[in-house]
Structure formats: structure tokens, C-alpha cells
Amino acid sequence: MLGARHTLFLAFVAALEVALALSLSPRNTTVQSTQQLLTAYQLLNATVGGRLRSAVPLEKPCFSSYEGKASAADPAACAAVQANYTDPTYRVTQFGGYMLPQWETCQAQASDGCLLDSSDPTNPLAFKGADCRLGNIPPHYITVKSSSDVQAALAFSKKTGVRLSVKNKGHDYKGRSSGKDTLSLWTTGLNSMSHSAKFKPAGCQTTYDAITVGPGALTQSVYEFADSVNRTVIGGYHQTIGFGGGYFLGGGHSILSPVYGLAVDRVVQVKVVTPDGVLRTANACQNSDLFFALRGGGGSAFGVVIESSHRTEPRITIQASVLKFTPSASDDLAQWYSLMVNQSYGWAQAGWGGHIVGPTLVHVNPLLNNTAAKASMQPAVDFVTARGGSVVVEELPSWLAFFNKYVTLAQAAVGPELELGTRLISTSVFTSESGRAQLMALIKENLPIASPYIVAGTPFNFKAEQGATSVTPAWRNSVWHLSVKAQFLYNTTLAERTALYNGLETRIQKFRDLTPGSGAYFNEGDVYEPDHEQSYWGANYPKLLAVKRK
Ligand SMILES: Cc1cc2nc3c(=O)[nH]c(=O)nc-3n(C[C@H](O)[C@H](O)[C@H](O)COP(=O)(O)OP(=O)(O)OC[C@H]3O[C@@H](n4cnc5c(N)ncnc54)[C@H](O)[C@@H]3O)c2cc1C
Ligand SMILES: *[C@@H]1O[C@H](CO)[C@@H](O)[C@H](O)[C@H]1NC(C)=O
Ligand SMILES: *[C@@H]1O[C@H](CO)[C@@H](O)[C@H](O)[C@H]1NC(C)=O
Ligand SMILES: *[C@@H]1O[C@H](CO)[C@@H](O)[C@H](O)[C@H]1NC(C)=O
Ligand SMILES: *[C@@H]1O[C@H](CO)[C@@H](O)[C@H](O)[C@H]1NC(C)=O
Ligand SMILES: *[C@@H]1O[C@H](CO)[C@@H](O)[C@H](O)[C@H]1NC(C)=O
Ligand SMILES: *[C@@H]1O[C@H](CO)[C@@H](O)[C@H](O)[C@H]1NC(C)=O
Ligand SMILES: *[C@@H]1O[C@H](CO)[C@@H](O)[C@H](O)[C@H]1NC(C)=O
């Protein structure tokens, strides 16, 4: 039987051997020989209908050397990569590309990767005469079509000892969706979307107006779909995030979260293949411990998500406030942030949520009418007007109208090698004069390096069900999710990277010291977060650990 199968696969062996040769030799697996591993891969490939693929870096066509060997560059393919290098809608289609490209590489080695110059992708210094390496990109992946692909990969992993990783839309800031020597499950193609006005989680009585999505549905597509059925979905500030993947698994903030909660507050059911290979339905009425874990304990820590269902809201009229100016006086930017620190608590109470980065504010409010919205934003409007900036406080008919008009232009950049340090800034900081002064002093220290990125996207006014989610409870007692950043280039040396990470560490530590007992957002945290169990999950950690052990 095995012999017959073997013959059947001989046809593929030659191609596979070339593809696999690279990845097989140095692996730490439980199978004894390279031949056994090759056979196991061939069986896996047949089981998943030939959808096992070998990966190459997105940037490879620009290089004339790959893994230390001469390899012809492809100028036309290289030009396409260069032209689209910082376009998320392009990057998201490429297995060998990640939104934060340092995660394509092994950062602790001088040049184990294949990066272009993100500030000028045509810069030949990045690729002329340089060697391209697979780095931290998984050498093989399966384009997942159904839960049985996941089950096949789990069985393969158990047999061979090859580790698995899960990639969806590749937005991870922490490198969790790549992984040297792993077999990757690419869930991007599971992108179905459906709507039910009376969705009933299996085994429950309560119904919800909900949409059900595959992990690979793009956030922008989910917004368009919800709008087409006259509903609103609460989600992130970017077109290509995997709404039903890493986004909700790690928490999921929206600028509508101050009123409608985090993504973990809104998910009502998840279908997930757990590490034992069983496809389970988790909701409040069955597998409720697993459901708790999936509401903030993710990415792939508790299994591979096949679909998830999320409550919707009716179509909402949105007040949008979009303010910008060009700082001229030397303390303009510091004064602006001081105003933001002073106003943010009141804005949060009034239902505003949004982003502040440098001299730009984009906020939305689903509760106020336009008159009240203008009154509430008046101090900021006056500040910007006095500096000749641009001011809009307008009413838009829907979330989608707002998203299309403003977010696609203002969303965070992809392509550059960005590293984050973040902190949830406690409400108590904003309600005392000394707290505000201390916060402002820290912001001021950072301004010469880079403006802190502020997300007013905590579930400030949302009444969450006690104990239902596993994100740190600090989310519910904070006004801001604040980030400071560092940035690499393709040629940043190891010593420079170390210095950049250390500098980031020093800067974010001061915000931690200002907010003892608070926490940080798991999906957008520092990769060197100290006491990360406490920061990301707080009092929920022991229960999460128990579910993980189970
Ligand atoms: C430009 C940009 C803007 C962002 N904006 C926001 C925002 O507005 N709000 C916000 O909350 N976050 C935001 N994020 C963070 C984002 O939510 C996380 O990066 C999230 O993890 C992305 O999920 P993904 O599935 O797209 O990414 P991936 O990198 O593919 O996956 C992220 C993690 O989830 C796991 N995972 C993905 N799919 C599955 C699955 N089907 N089953 C099991 N595990 C899975 C992966 O293994 C990995 O651990 C942003 C990130 C970027 C890069
Ligand atoms: C190989 O994996 C085993 C089990 O995970 C581990 O104990 C061992 O240290 C690994 N060896 C190497 C060389 O990485
Ligand atoms: C898996 O099989 C298909 C043909 O069925 C082949 O095209 C593909 O290259 C194989 N995958 C690998 C990694 O060799
Ligand atoms: C890349 O960008 C160019 C120019 O903007 C465009 O014409 C092309 O279609 C893009 N290529 C891909 C593969 O998306
Ligand atoms: C869409 O929803 C809004 C808000 O619930 C409602 O007022 C409106 O009548 C709906 N429109 C249609 C066409 O169903
Ligand atoms: C913010 O409030 C403090 C006092 O609480 C005040 O000193 C400061 O000037 C205010 N900032 C702005 C820009 O108004
Ligand atoms: C706007 O809202 C305020 C506060 O709720 C209310 O007093 C006012 O009448 C409203 N104005 C209009 C034009 O609806
Ligand atoms: C990296 O590249 C940039 C742009 O090409 C250049 O200005 C810089 O000097 C280089 N740095 C190092 C360390 O080589």
C-alpha cells in the first residue's frame, strides 16, 4: 500500500526534492532521515490536494543571488514588487511578504533576509551584489481550503516534529505569523462572508444580528458587505487586516470601540480546529472556556480559526472630526499634545474615538449630532484654525462612507520595518492634574524622536460582561492605547538594531512606570514586553493557562 503510494508520488519527487532540499537538511525533526521527511511531505501534499507550496521572499526577483547561489534576477517582476512595495493590498496577496518586513528576516543575524529599501524600493544598494535569503519565512505552506487541511497539517507535525505556524493577512507586529523552518497554514483564502439577522450560536437561545466570516476576509470587504445589508461592523483602521483572524483573537480595537467595545466583546461564536485535530464550535453555551481563551488569548495559541461570527449594529450616522496643521512655532506640537491630553477624557465620555499622530487628529462619534460634535471639538478646532490648519467636523451617513473617505488615506504604513512599544494609559492619569502633567512631560521627551501614535480606541463607555474575555482588564480602565516606535532599514546593522530596540525599551518603560498595574495590547505590543503575561492578560492569565494546558 505504502509502496504503491510511493510510486504514485515519484513523478513529483524531482520537483519536490529541489524545493525541499534547502529546507530539509538542517531541520530538527523527529523523523530519522531526509528521505522519510520528504516522503512525509509528499503524503501531506497529496492529502491536501497538491496545495503544499514552497515559499520564496517577495523581493527575490530583484536579487541575482539566492541562498548563496547565483540565481537570475527577473527585472519585470522586480519592478512590480518595487512599485507596490508599500501597498498593503499588494503585499497581502504575497505569501513571501509581510506587512512588517523585518519578520521576513532573522533579525539577530546581520543579513538573513531579502529586503529592499522601503524608503526607496528602487535603491540598487539593497539588492545589487547582495544575497537574498529565506530568513524567517516558513519554507513551506498550505493554502488552507477547509478544516481538513488543518487536520492533515497537525497530523504531519505530530509525525515529523516539524512545527506549524499560521499566517492570515500577515499584519503581525510581533512575528507570530512567520517562523523559520515551520510549516505554515495560510488561511487567507478562507474569505467567505454571510449575514443573519437572527444568528443563534449553537446550543444557545439568544439570537444576534451577526455576520459570519472566514479569517481571510479583508476588513474593508467586511465593511462593504455589512453596509450592503444595511448594518455596521465594528473593526480596525486598515483595509487589509484579517478581521476574523489575528485581529479579534488578540483583542481588536476600533475607533468605534469607546461606544461599541472591542472585537472580543462582539464575537459570538468561533469555529476552530484545536491542536488535537478536532473542529470545535466555541461560544457562550459550549466550549465556553475555549471561547474565553479565543477572546484575547490568540493568535494561533488555541487552534486554527475556520470562521467566526460577530454582532453588528444598525447603520450609524457618524460625526467625523478631521483636523490637521503644520507646526511652525517651536512648541506648537507640544502645545497640541498638551491640548490632546487635556481634552481626551471629556472626549471619551462624549463617545469620541480616533487616532492622533503628530499634528493630525481623526476622530469619530456615533452618539452626538453635528452641533454637539462641533461644540465638543471646539478647543481643538480653535487651536488648528489659529495655526492656519484644515478643519472638518462633518456628518457622514455611515461607517463605510467615513472609512472610504478618510481611513484609506490615513491608515498606518506598511513596508517599513517598524517596531512598537505600547501602553494602555489609565483613566486615572487623565483625571488628575498631576497625571496629565506627567503624561505630557513624557510625550514631550519623545517628540524630538517621533510623535507618539495615540489610539483613542479603548472600550471606554462599553458595559462588558464580567469575565467573558481574556484581554487584560486594563483595556476597560484606559483612555488611550499609546505607541512609540523605532524603525530599521534594509541595511541596519545588528549593533544598530540592538540600539534601536534598547532605545524603544527605555522610552516605553517610562510610560509603564507612569501607569503601574495597567497593561498593553497583545497584538501591538513590544516584542520584549517585560512580564508580558501580566501586561497582556493581567488577572485573566491563570485561567488562560489552564485552558492552554487542557
Ligand atoms: C497597518 C496595520 C494596522 C493595524 N490596525 C489595527 C487596528 O486598527 N486595530 C487593531 O486592533 N489592530 C490593528 N493592527 C494589528 C492587527 O490587529 C494584528 O496585527 C492582527 O494580529 C492581524 O491579524 P491578521 O490575521 O491580519 O495577521 P497575521 O499576521 O496573519 O496573523 C496574526 C496572528 O494571528 C494568528 N492567526 C491569524 N489567522 C489565524 C487563524 N485563522 N487561526 C488562528 N490563528 C490565526 C497568527 O498565527 C498570528 O499569531 C494593525 C496592524 C497593522 C500592520
Ligand atoms: C530538537 O527538539 C527537541 C524537542 O523539541 C529539543 O529538546 C532539542 O533541544 C532540539 N535540538 C536542537 C538541536 O534544536
Ligand atoms: C504539491 O503538488 C503539486 C502538484 O499536485 C505540485 O505542483 C507542487 O509543487 C507540490 N508541492 C511541493 C512543495 O512540491
Ligand atoms: C504594481 O504596481 C503597478 C504600478 O502602480 C501596477 O501597474 C501593477 O499592476 C502592480 N502589480 C501587481 C502585481 O499588483
Ligand atoms: C437601514 O437601516 C437604518 C437604520 O436602522 C434604517 O433607518 C433604514 O430604514 C434601513 N434602510 C433600509 C433600506 O433597510
Ligand atoms: C492643559 O492643562 C494644563 C493645566 O491642567 C495647562 O497648564 C495647559 O496649558 C493646558 N494645555 C493647553 C494646550 O491648553
Ligand atoms: C443636538 O443634540 C443636543 C444634545 O443632545 C440637543 O440639545 C440639540 O437639540 C440637538 N440639536 C439638533 C439640531 O438636533
Ligand atoms: C544604509 O542605506 C542608506 C540608504 O541607502 C544609507 O544612507 C546608509 O548609510 C546605510 N547604512 C549603513 C550602515 O550602511
Side-chain angles (χ1 to χ4, degrees):
M1 178 66 188
L2 200 73
R5 282 198 161 189
H6 218 107
T7 317
L8 193 65
F9 298 125
L10 272 180
F12 301 128
V13 167
L16 199 72
E17 219 140 7
V18 174
L20 292 175
L22 246 163
S23 59
L24 290 186
S25 39
R27 301 301 171 264
N28 179 12
T29 63
T30 55
V31 294
Q32 270 84 52
S33 72
T34 300
Q35 185 54 47
Q36 278 179 321
L37 186 54
L38 188 59
T39 305
Y41 267 114
Q42 287 158 3
L43 286 168
L44 174 65
N45 196 10
T47 308
V48 301
R51 276 178 286 104
L52 178 70
R53 294 279 177 273
S54 296
V56 291
L58 167 72
E59 301 85 346
K60 180 175 176 286
C62 299
F63 290 74
S64 315
S65 170
Y66 185 54
E67 296 283 343
K69 296 197 185 79
S71 151
D74 179 340
C78 173
V81 173
Q82 289 171 324
N84 302 294
Y85 202 61
T86 57
D87 180 350
T89 64
Y90 170 75
R91 220 165 238 286
V92 77
T93 62
Q94 306 292 315
F95 181 80
Y98 287 75
M99 298 297 164
L100 289 311
Q102 72 269 27
W103 294 114
E104 298 168 18
T105 75
C106 295
Q107 296 174 63
Q109 277 156 42
S111 58
D112 195 1
C114 190
L115 299 176
L116 299 183
D117 178 351
S118 61
S119 66
D120 172 13
T122 64
N123 178 359
L125 292 174
F127 53 90
K128 280 268 151 63
D131 187 35
C132 168
R133 303 185 70 88
L134 188 59
N136 194 41
I137 298 171
H140 302 290
Y141 62 98
I142 297 169
T143 52
V144 175
K145 280 244 167 86
S146 71
S147 54
S148 63
D149 292 342
V150 176
Q151 288 158 338
L154 283 163
F156 168 85
S157 174
K158 205 169 178 185
K159 186 167 72 182
T160 61
V162 171
R163 290 179 305 129
L164 301 179
S165 59
V166 182
K167 183 186 183 194
N168 186 36
K169 296 307 194 191
H171 271 251
D172 207 56
Y173 276 109
K174 299 171 79 194
R176 295 171 300 169
S177 51
S178 49
K180 197 176 185 66
D181 298 350
T182 58
L183 167 65
S184 174
L185 295 166
W186 197 18
T187 58
T188 191
L190 296 174
N191 56 8
S192 63
M193 298 186 280
S194 62
H195 170 243
S196 167
K198 290 201 164 62
F199 178 82
K200 194 196 278 190
C204 299
Q205 293 310 313
T206 318
T207 64
Y208 303 92
D209 190 296
I211 54 140
T212 296
V213 297
L218 294 168
T219 289
Q220 185 167 22
S221 308
V222 177
Y223 292 158
E224 286 162 359
F225 175 71
D227 193 78
S228 76
V229 295
N230 201 27
R231 302 293 296 181
T232 307
V233 157
I234 312 305
Y237 202 74
H238 198 278
Q239 294 168 277
T240 58
I241 299 169
F243 181 86
Y247 170 73
F248 91 83
L249 288 164
H253 62 72
S254 167
I255 63 175
L256 290 171
S257 292
V259 174
Y260 298 107
L262 298 170
V264 288
D265 293 320
R266 307 191 55 85
V267 63
V268 292
Q269 177 164 290
V270 184
K271 290 191 179 162
V272 58
V273 180
T274 44
D276 55 2
V278 180
L279 174 62
R280 294 176 199 274
T281 299
N283 60 40
C285 309
Q286 63 188 56
N287 294 311
S288 60
D289 53 353
L290 178 60
F291 189 48
F292 162 84
L294 292 165
R295 298 171 87 178
S300 59
F302 295 90
V304 181
V305 172
I306 301 298
E307 68 170 47
S308 55
S309 303
H310 308 259
R311 283 160 59 187
T312 70
E313 297 293 328
R315 180 182 293 265
I316 305 163
T317 301
I318 300 271
Q319 305 300 327
S321 171
V322 181
L323 313 178
K324 284 180 205 158
F325 69 99
T326 307
S328 49
S330 63
D331 70 338
D332 266 1
L333 202 52
Q335 285 298 316
W336 167 251
Y337 271 97
S338 167
L339 184 70
M340 298 297 104
V341 170
N342 290 356
Q343 295 294 323
S344 281
Y345 177 67
W347 283 338
Q349 286 181 310
W352 289 100
H355 291 205
I356 299 158
V357 54
T360 305
L361 169 148
V362 180
H363 270 42
V364 294
N365 195 314
L367 301 180
L368 302 178
N369 60 35
N370 191 253
T371 313
K374 282 183 166 147
S376 166
M377 276 289 153
Q378 199 59 49
V381 167
D382 290 345
F383 186 100
V384 169
T385 306
R387 285 157 187 81
S390 75
V391 167
V392 175
V393 184
E394 67 170 335
E395 179 167 306
L396 291 165
S398 67
W399 168 250
L400 182 65
F402 164 76
F403 187 84
N404 287 341
K405 184 161 182 186
Y406 292 112
V407 179
T408 53
L409 297 174
Q411 64 193 2
V414 306
E417 293 79 6
L418 290 176
E419 295 76 49
L420 302 180
T422 72
R423 192 68 177 169
L424 293 166
I425 308 296
S426 318
T427 305
S428 59
V429 169
F430 293 88
T431 53
S432 83
E433 179 138 4
S434 71
R436 290 194 299 270
Q438 288 173 55
L439 174 58
M440 192 48 222
L442 289 186
I443 290 175
K444 210 166 170 176
E445 276 181 35
N446 275 276
L447 289 179
I449 309 163
S451 298
Y453 194 121
I454 287 151
V455 176
T458 63
F460 189 82
N461 302 295
F462 184 79
K463 300 275 171 291
E465 191 194 328
Q466 278 287 318
T469 66
S470 45
V471 294
T472 170
W475 270 110
R476 308 196 185 278
N477 188 23
S478 298
V479 177
W480 282 358
H481 156 51
L482 174 145
S483 311
V484 294
K485 65 172 184 187
Q487 190 170 337
F488 294 177
L489 260 185
Y490 69 98
N491 63 349
T492 306
T493 64
L494 191 51
E496 288 167 335
R497 290 178 206 177
T498 307
L500 281 168
Y501 271 115
N502 285 338
L504 188 63
E505 215 43 48
T506 308
R507 284 186 285 139
I508 197 61
Q509 185 57 43
K510 294 186 179 179
F511 290 96
R512 292 185 190 120
D513 294 341
L514 175 67
T515 54
S518 187
Y521 178 23
F522 181 30
N523 277 342
E524 297 180 332
D526 170 4
V527 289
Y528 291 111
E529 184 73 28
D531 199 2
H532 63 278
E533 298 93 336
Q534 167 59 34
S535 284
Y536 297 144
W537 301 290
N540 290 319
Y541 187 72
K543 184 172 168 191
L544 266 179
L545 187 61
V547 180
K548 179 79 182 173
R549 294 211 165 113
K550 181 177 168 186

